[in-house]
Amino acid sequence: MAIRKPSERIILGIDPGTNVMGYGLLKVVGNNAQMMAMGIIDMRKESDPYLRLGRIFERVTGIINEFLPDEMAIEAPFFGKNVQSMLKLGRAQGVAIAAAIHHEIPIHEYAPLKIKMAITGNGGASKEQVAGMLQRLLKLDRENMPQFMDATDALGAAYCHFLQSGKPESEVVYKGWKDFVARNPSKVKK
């Protein structure tokens, strides 16, 4: 096991699914991110929904034990019309989150729109557009691109978190320019 420098961290991205769950790992050194691994957890051959959930826990735990991520970024389920699908997807997401909690890994959840917006600048981008942008941003060879977009979606969640975590959060919220000027008269030239 390699020893990491304090400025290094690993982000595990998860795209939850009940048939196919994507995962992607980024190694972040300072302001640079590089892909470590990405792939899928394929549960299509397992018919029992509870055994699928057990497989998710086992595989996510295995990925955590292998790569030792510092944080997890997970895509939030989108709200569809099919309640049963939402319930199943929420269970899959919950099991992946439970695996991270079991290993005391901080979890960050991002809406699909936020991930697409962070990576492509377009909240309505297609999975192919997200994958293409990640390929360019992370300088991935075409042959390294996975067959399933679930893997690139998961890498997208990790990359979105990388971008978001680099932004300093201001503790002060201003209602507009006039509010800023009123609270900071010494910072404004007259």
Side-chain angles (χ1 to χ4, degrees), residues 26 61 65 76 143 147 152 174 177:
L26 285 180
T61 295
N65 289 336
E143 54 269 6
Q147 175 185 356
T152 52
Y174 299 102
W177 180 245

Side-chain angles (χ1 to χ4, degrees), residues 75-91:
E75 186 173 303
F78 58 91
F79 296 99
K81 293 180 182 176
N82 187 327
V83 176
Q84 285 294 16
S85 293
M86 283 298 302
L87 178 62
K88 290 175 186 175
L89 190 60
R91 287 177 176 168

Side-chain angles (χ1 to χ4, degrees), residues 23-179:
Y23 67 90
L25 289 122
L26 285 180
K27 181 176 184 178
V28 177
V29 180
N31 291 327
N32 297 313
Q34 68 181 48
M35 184 199 63
M36 294 177 70
M38 71 174 149
I40 60 163
I41 301 168
D42 190 346
M43 297 157 291
R44 293 175 294 172
K45 291 182 181 175
E46 180 57 63
S47 60
D48 185 308
Y50 301 108
L51 292 178
R52 283 183 180 197
L53 295 176
R55 177 136 170 81
I56 291 169
F57 188 83
E58 287 171 3
R59 288 289 292 124
V60 172
T61 295
I63 292 165
I64 290 169
N65 289 336
E66 181 179 351
F67 293 99
L68 304 172
D70 299 291
E71 300 172 272
M72 176 193 274
I74 191 163
E75 186 173 303
F78 58 91
F79 296 99
K81 293 180 182 176
N82 187 327
V83 176
Q84 285 294 16
S85 293
M86 283 298 302
L87 178 62
K88 290 175 186 175
L89 190 60
R91 287 177 176 168
Q93 183 197 37
V95 169
I97 288 171
I101 291 169
H102 182 74
H103 289 86
E104 299 179 358
I105 296 172
I107 300 145
H108 307 275
E109 187 175 35
Y110 296 97
L113 184 121
K114 176 122 180 155
I115 294 169
K116 291 174 182 180
M117 190 69 159
I119 293 168
T120 68
N122 174 8
S126 69
K127 289 177 173 285
E128 291 79 11
Q129 288 172 315
V130 171
M133 187 59 84
L134 286 169
Q135 184 180 359
R136 287 188 287 283
L137 290 168
L138 296 170
K139 298 173 180 68
L140 304 175
D141 294 331
R142 184 176 293 281
E143 54 269 6
N144 287 342
M145 297 305 288
Q147 175 185 356
F148 291 92
M149 294 289 169
D150 306 85
T152 52
D153 284 353
L155 192 63
Y159 198 82
C160 175
H161 181 65
F162 160 68
L163 293 173
Q164 296 300 311
S165 60
K167 293 181 179 178
E169 291 187 30
S170 174
E171 292 179 22
V172 181
V173 177
Y174 299 102
K175 294 177 185 170
W177 180 245
K178 288 182 182 179
D179 186 33

